């Protein structure tokens, strides 16, 4: 522990008294492992294979999950990084194959790299009965027949199940007939609209298996998350039990929460500007490297990771340590696999001491056992944060993790409220399998695979045993539109063509972002987001590289860009109206009304503003001429009567700024409770809403039909708004800044905003929510 203390002192050296950026230190003690005995059902040859790889005894959580699966109960194991989750599914699945090599296992992972690592891990067991193979877009056609016919452990991804396996289920008949286990690795990555599609793909998979007489057991592995059993049940459609009590050992970790100081620079509406997290991380990285600590810094963008590495090198050179400057590098997505492996090896050997990486690489890299990890900004999810922090700690040597806050309300909240990180997790992985925009194409795909029987709508509902009302209404609409044909036996797909569905998009077809000079496809943007992100003049970032948009052609679905990094950022100005279509659930909390339901959002991008990259300072505003857009989606809203506000010291004039500021901060905090980005959701606050006749705040899912985020916000409203108020109160600025109530995506240029009013507003709302509960 002394060594880690010494590192921390080094990082703090030179800070003026009273201005320490170190807000909290959490000592996570060494956790001794809790080994268990091998279960009696585990075949000796499988146990011997694990022992040969150094696993002499399993941990308690591995045995608990493996035994549930072996006994035929679907299970999710939700424990920390490097806790050995793979053994939990490998053991029962290998036992099944040892017993009957004709049995089959289907393994799904979100990335090809992870499937490749898994294949390597299985092959290293050297079990004669195991025939494992990957099956994805890269598998040569001549190998595909072999995999279908002979592999008894197939590693693939949900996209391939959707596109390759299910539409050709006849050719996979013997595979499906013998399918015993479906393994879903890193299942917390299936969230939002994509997660909703994956949920329906899994329902189609279960249906096809049932036709061939199989009822596979699902084994899911997830990072630590709230309510894992509920999320897994919703994802798979079958009851899933959870194993969350981690029995693996971990070295002691000193976890420091760090808030860079405010600078003298001025941003929008003269708000103070905090020192950038990436620059701060560069300085910390340099200090740790000087101390000889092997350190990995996670930065949000590729450009950011390069800047952090450069800034660390500059600090080292200035300190006269040129030899050390050469031992710092950036690790980024553009690298080839060999380059990445070389870099990983250099870090493991100690030749490299400091590496700055992007969050995008958190799943794909083989780096652990570090002395220190720096997190420059919240990576978007609590699960990711732990995944990254989990790379610190070599053997049982204590390690240091430093979380550096960015100027964002969620980061502010986390560094000021350590219990949100170190207490029970509150972030739940959410999706909405009953989103009609997901259901309609998925039901078409299902009907094209096998006609949907009259009793089958129940197979597609969000929770087992739930109401079939939504599914039935979507089937009815598809029939009325002559997409499906209703017959006495059920619903049929009668076209000769297969339905085309993009399970990673949200309909309407994405807009392609094309580099004019090379004709290369740089990326794609959801059509719904195109107006706000790739309008003419927008600076478009892709994997950390900057482009400037020359022209957006909505008819062609193309945005033409050129490679350029101007010293400013752009953000769209828009006008948003929201109309309530219907409340699904609504309740009173004293004088308040709280509801979740369907809304129509009309949004028009009317211009954009440019801000200086370095300081956030406003440069100018440019008009744009774009058509209004309609979005039917799900929202959570609450209504606060004006007479209550009057009595509480918020007169009508003060309400717009107070409600707007409260809405911004709430949007910033929702990712703590639901697995969304603040870009996945939108908000509207108004002092007099035409549908409610009162001051109302709405937060809506930014995807057609909703993605489960607003619903989760409704269910956790009290906790969510409580955290929102705490985030605003803990920011030391006077009248609002990006760390509390200003939003980088505000369509209104962050005007009006009333920081103090937002606290009063939330005080009133929370008092009534508490009284009503
Ligand atoms: Zn602030
Ligand atoms: Zn706003």
């Amino acid at each position: 522990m002394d060594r880690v203390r010494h590192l921390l002192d080094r990082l703090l050296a030179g800070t003026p008294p009273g201005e320490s950026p170190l807000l909290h230190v959490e000592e996570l003690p060494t956790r001794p492992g809790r080994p268990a005995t091998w279960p009696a059902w585990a075949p000796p040859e499988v146990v011997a294979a694990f022992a040969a790889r150094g696993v002499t005894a399993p941990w308690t959580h591995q045995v608990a999950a493996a035994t549930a699966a072996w006994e035929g109960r679907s299970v999710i194991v939700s424990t920390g990084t490097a806790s050995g989750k793979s053994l939990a599914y490998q053991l029962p699945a290998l036992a099944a194959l040892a017993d009957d090599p004709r049995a089959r296992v289907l393994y799904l992972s979100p990335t090809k790299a992870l499937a490749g690592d898994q294949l390597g891990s299985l092959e290293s067991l050297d079990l004669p009965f195991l025939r494992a193979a990957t099956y994805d877009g890269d598998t040569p056609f001549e190998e595909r027949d072999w995999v279908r016919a002979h592999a008894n452990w197939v590693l693939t991804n949900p996209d391939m199940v959707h596109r390759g396996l299910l539409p050709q289920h006849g050719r996979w008949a013997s595979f499906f007939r013998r399918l015993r286990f479906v393994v879903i690795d890193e299942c917390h990555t299936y969230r939002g609209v994509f997660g909703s599609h994956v949920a329906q793909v899994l329902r189609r998979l279960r249906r096809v298996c049932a036709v061939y007489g199989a009822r596979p057991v699902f084994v899911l592995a997830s990072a630590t998350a709230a309510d894992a059993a509920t999320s897994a049940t919703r994802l798979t459609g079958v009851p899933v039990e959870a194993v969350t009590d981690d029995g693996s050992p971990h070295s002691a970790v000193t976890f420091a929460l760090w808030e860079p100081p405010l600078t003298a620079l001025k941003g929008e509406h003269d708000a103070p500007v905090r020192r950038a997290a990436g620059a701060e991380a560069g300085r910390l990285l340099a200090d740790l490297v000087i101390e000889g600590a092997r350190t990995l810094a996670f930065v949000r963008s590729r450009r950011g990771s390069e800047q952090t590495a450069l800034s660390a090198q500059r600090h080292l050179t200035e300190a006269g340590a040129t030899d050390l400057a050469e031992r710092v590098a950036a690790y980024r997505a553009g690298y080839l696999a060999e380059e990445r492996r070389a870099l990983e090896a250099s870090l493991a050997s100690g030749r490299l001491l400091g590496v700055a990486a992007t969050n995008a690489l958190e799943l794909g890299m083989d780096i652990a056992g570090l002395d220190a990890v720096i997190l420059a900004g919240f990576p978007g999810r609590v699960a990711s944060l732990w995944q990254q922090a989990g790379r610190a700690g070599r053997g049982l040597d204590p390690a240091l993790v430093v979380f550096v806050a960015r100027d964002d309300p969620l980061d502010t909240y986390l560094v000021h409220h350590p219990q949100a990180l170190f207490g029970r997790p509150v972030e739940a992985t959410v999706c909405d399998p009953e989103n009609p925009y997901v259901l309609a194409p998925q039901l078409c795909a299902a009907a094209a695979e096998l006609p949907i029987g009259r009793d089958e709508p129940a197979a597609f509902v969000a929770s087992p045993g739930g109401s079939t009302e939504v599914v039935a209404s979507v089937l009815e609409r598809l029939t009325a539109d002559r997409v499906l044909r209703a017959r006495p036996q059920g619903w049929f797909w009668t076209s000769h063509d297969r339905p085309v569905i993009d399970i990673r998009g949200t309909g309407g077809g994405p807009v392609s972002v094309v580099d004019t000079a090379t004709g290369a496809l740089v990326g794609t943007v959801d059509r719904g987001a195109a107006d706000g992100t790739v309008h003419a003049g927008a600076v478009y970032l892709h994997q950390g590289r900057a482009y400037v948009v020359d022209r957006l052609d909505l008819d062609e679905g193309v945005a033409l860009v050129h490679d350029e990094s101007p010293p400013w950022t752009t953000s769209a100005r828009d006008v948003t109206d929201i109309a309530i279509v219907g409340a699904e659930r609504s309740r009173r909390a004293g004088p308040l009304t709280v509801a979740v339901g369907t809304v129509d959002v009309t949004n028009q991008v009317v211009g954009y503003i440019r801000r200086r990259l370095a300081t956030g300072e406003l440069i100018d505003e440019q008009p744009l001429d774009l058509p209004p857009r309609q979005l039917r989606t799900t929202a959570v809203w609450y209504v606060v009567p004006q007479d209550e506000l009057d009595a509480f010291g918020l007169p009508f004039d003060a309400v717009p700024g107070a409600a707007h500021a409260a809405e911004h901060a709430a949007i910033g905090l929702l990712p703590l409770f639901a697995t969304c980005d603040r870009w996945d959701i939108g908000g509207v606050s108004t002092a007099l809403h035409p549908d409610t006749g009162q001051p109302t705040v709405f937060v809506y899912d930014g995807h057609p039909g909703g993605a489960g985020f607003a619903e989760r916000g409704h269910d956790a409203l009290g906790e969510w708004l409580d955290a929102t108020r705490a985030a605003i109160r803990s920011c030391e600025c006077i009248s609002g800044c990006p760390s509390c109530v200003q939003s980088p995506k505000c369509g209104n240029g962050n005007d009006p905003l009333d920081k103090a009013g937002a606290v009063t507003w939330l005080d009133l709302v929370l008092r009534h929510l508490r009284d009503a509960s």
Side-chain angles (χ1 to χ4, degrees):
M1 224 16 101
D2 290 352
R3 160 96 174 130
V4 170
R5 270 283 150 201
H6 173 75
L7 291 178
L8 207 46
D9 287 345
R10 164 97 207 186
L11 300 183
L12 284 167
T15 27
E19 287 181 28
S20 173
L22 181 62
L23 296 187
H24 179 81
V25 176
E26 186 84 9
E27 300 289 357
L28 305 173
T30 313
R31 187 180 63 206
R34 280 176 288 144
T37 51
W38 291 100
W41 52 264
E45 54 193 315
V46 175
V47 170
F50 279 117
R53 218 172 54 182
V55 184
T56 48
W59 308 116
T60 46
H61 66 281
Q62 294 172 323
V63 172
T67 301
W70 177 253
E71 290 172 354
R73 304 193 309 276
S74 291
V75 63
I76 177 169
V77 53
S78 169
T79 51
T81 315
S83 59
K85 290 189 277 272
S86 50
L87 191 136
Y89 55 78
Q90 285 174 349
L91 186 60
L94 290 170
L97 297 185
D99 187 39
D100 173 14
R102 289 155 49 88
R104 295 290 186 264
V105 176
L106 181 64
Y107 167 92
L108 306 179
S109 78
T111 65
K112 285 181 194 165
L114 188 61
D117 291 350
Q118 266 298 310
L119 180 65
S121 144
L122 286 168
E123 282 172 343
S124 76
L125 290 170
D126 204 15
L127 288 162
F129 58 80
L130 176 64
R131 298 183 302 273
T134 52
Y135 188 89
D136 57 37
D138 297 342
T139 310
F141 278 90
E142 55 276 21
E143 270 176 39
R144 295 189 176 196
D145 289 339
W146 185 91
V147 175
R148 255 195 308 268
H150 301 291
N152 54 11
W153 189 306
V154 173
L155 302 102
T156 183
N157 51 60
D159 308 68
M160 203 62 186
V161 173
H162 160 67
R163 269 199 333 261
L165 273 64
L166 293 175
Q168 307 185 47
H169 59 84
R171 305 181 67 186
W172 287 84
S174 67
F175 179 87
F176 288 128
R177 188 173 304 127
R178 299 167 182 155
L179 188 57
R180 290 282 303 279
F181 289 102
V182 177
V183 177
I184 307 176
D185 208 355
E186 304 283 358
C187 68
H188 58 277
T189 56
Y190 304 125
R191 58 177 197 90
V193 174
F194 177 54
S196 310
H197 273 291
V198 172
Q200 288 298 348
V201 169
L202 294 173
R203 282 157 177 74
R204 283 161 50 203
L205 171 68
R206 287 185 18 240
R207 222 175 136 243
V208 163
C209 288
V211 161
Y212 293 104
R215 279 188 53 198
V217 171
F218 287 81
V219 191
L220 302 95
S222 161
T224 317
D227 220 356
T230 308
S231 305
T233 299
R234 214 171 157 86
L235 184 66
T236 58
V238 293
V240 178
E241 53 188 72
V243 172
T244 56
D245 189 9
D246 195 336
S248 68
H250 202 280
S251 63
V253 170
T254 299
F255 208 122
L257 303 183
W258 197 273
E259 185 176 56
L262 295 176
T263 63
L265 298 170
K266 293 275 177 261
E268 197 170 49
H269 304 302
D270 282 342
V273 175
R274 219 170 264 294
R275 195 192 294 158
E280 187 82 342
R283 190 181 69 74
L284 301 180
L285 181 57
D287 276 349
L288 291 166
V289 164
I290 288 176
E291 291 293 330
R294 278 178 217 179
T295 308
L296 180 58
F298 282 100
V299 190
R300 283 176 67 103
S301 71
R302 178 163 107 183
R303 188 157 64 164
S305 71
E306 278 159 14
Q307 280 168 349
T308 297
L310 278 174
S311 126
Q313 285 166 342
R314 204 170 44 242
H315 281 291
L316 289 164
T317 311
E318 279 165 13
T322 7
D323 52 325
L324 287 178
E326 284 163 15
R327 295 169 72 184
V328 172
Y331 176 113
R332 54 183 169 79
Y335 285 166
L336 299 173
E338 306 86 81
E339 293 174 304
R340 281 163 52 177
R341 299 295 165 239
L343 211 126
E344 287 162 5
S346 308
L347 192 59
S349 73
R351 199 193 63 72
L352 269 184
L353 277 174
V355 167
T358 58
N359 296 330
L361 294 170
E362 102 198 1
L363 288 182
M365 68 170 112
D366 184 20
I367 297 177
L370 298 158
D371 299 311
V373 166
I374 300 169
L375 310 169
F378 183 60
R381 332 217 179 289
V382 179
S384 300
L385 178 133
W386 286 110
Q387 203 118 4
Q388 297 178 357
R391 298 185 184 273
R394 191 169 349 145
L396 286 177
D397 288 349
L400 174 67
V401 176
V402 185
F403 169 48
V404 183
R406 284 193 321 145
D407 54 355
D408 175 283
L410 183 47
D411 287 43
T412 306
Y413 177 76
L414 291 173
V415 292
H416 285 273
H417 299 86
Q419 72 278 11
L421 285 177
F422 304 110
R424 226 167 53 80
V426 291
E427 169 189 276
T429 310
V430 298
C431 64
D432 179 10
E434 289 188 11
N435 174 341
Y437 294 82
V438 171
L439 256 180
Q442 288 288 341
L443 288 170
C444 291
E449 283 148 16
L450 297 162
I452 299 174
R454 287 283 161 191
D455 56 344
E456 270 201 302
F460 300 95
V461 300
S463 346
S467 156
T468 56
E469 200 180 317
V470 178
V471 180
S473 76
V474 173
L475 282 169
E476 208 170 289
R477 185 163 56 75
L478 289 169
T479 309
D481 293 348
R482 297 171 173 275
V483 179
L484 294 182
R485 200 155 293 202
R487 293 184 182 148
Q489 314 91 302
W491 291 268
F492 287 71
W493 174 263
T494 51
S495 162
H496 291 293
D497 302 319
R498 299 250 172 219
V500 179
I501 318 169
D502 172 16
I503 66 171
R504 288 182 189 262
T506 49
V511 170
S512 306
V513 182
V514 173
D515 188 334
T516 319
T518 63
L521 179 70
V522 176
T524 59
V525 176
D526 268 358
R527 196 160 280 251
D531 290 0
T533 52
V534 289
H535 56 77
V539 176
Y540 171 75
L541 293 174
H542 184 75
Q543 296 198 333
R545 187 189 274 264
Y547 300 84
V548 173
V549 180
D550 299 311
R551 198 161 65 85
L552 170 62
D553 186 332
L554 288 166
D555 296 330
E556 294 289 322
V558 183
L560 296 169
V561 303
H562 67 271
D563 200 336
E564 186 190 339
S565 301
W568 61 76
T569 61
T570 55
S571 50
R573 300 289 304 265
D574 59 22
V575 181
T576 306
D577 283 318
I578 197 162
I580 298 172
V581 177
E584 226 160 83
R585 281 182 283 155
S586 164
R587 67 176 200 269
R588 303 280 299 181
L592 312 187
T593 307
V594 175
V596 61
T598 305
V599 293
D600 275 332
V601 180
T602 310
N603 174 273
Q604 184 170 20
V605 173
V606 294
Y608 66 99
I609 51 179
R610 301 192 298 165
R611 285 200 192 95
R612 249 175 257 294
L613 194 57
T615 60
E617 205 183 331
L618 187 73
I619 303 172
D620 60 6
E621 178 168 351
Q622 305 280 341
L624 287 168
D625 181 23
L626 287 160
R629 304 256 160 226
Q630 282 266 4
L631 171 73
R632 178 161 287 193
T633 185
T634 308
V636 49
W637 65 89
Y638 61 94
V639 185
V640 191
Q642 183 60 49
D643 49 1
E644 284 289 316
L645 291 162
D646 284 331
F648 213 68
L650 268 187
F652 187 75
D653 290 354
V655 169
H660 188 200
E663 169 224 315
H664 275 189
I667 288 177
L669 265 293
L670 187 56
L672 186 60
F673 297 89
T675 46
C676 55
D677 286 319
R678 73 193 287 173
W679 306 95
D680 286 330
I681 42 183
V684 170
S685 53
T686 150
L688 181 64
H689 192 270
D691 293 335
T692 64
Q694 296 286 358
T696 309
V697 170
F698 294 83
V699 174
Y700 60 88
D701 288 349
H703 304 278
F709 307 136
E711 201 180 335
R712 169 78 181 148
H714 171 265
D715 295 348
L717 188 69
E719 289 168 273
W720 171 32
L721 294 184
D722 197 47
T724 303
R725 180 182 57 173
I728 300 174
R729 285 174 57 129
S730 48
C731 185
E732 78 243 47
C733 75
I734 309 290
S735 53
C737 75
S739 299
C740 55
V741 297
Q742 287 190 347
S743 163
K745 53 174 280 197
C746 180
N748 237 7
N750 283 305
D751 185 51
L753 285 182
D754 177 351
K755 181 180 174 180
V759 174
T760 310
W761 167 279
L762 288 167
D763 278 340
L764 174 66
V765 171
L766 284 163
R767 172 192 290 188
H768 288 303
L769 288 178
R770 249 192 318 272
D771 288 350
S773 68

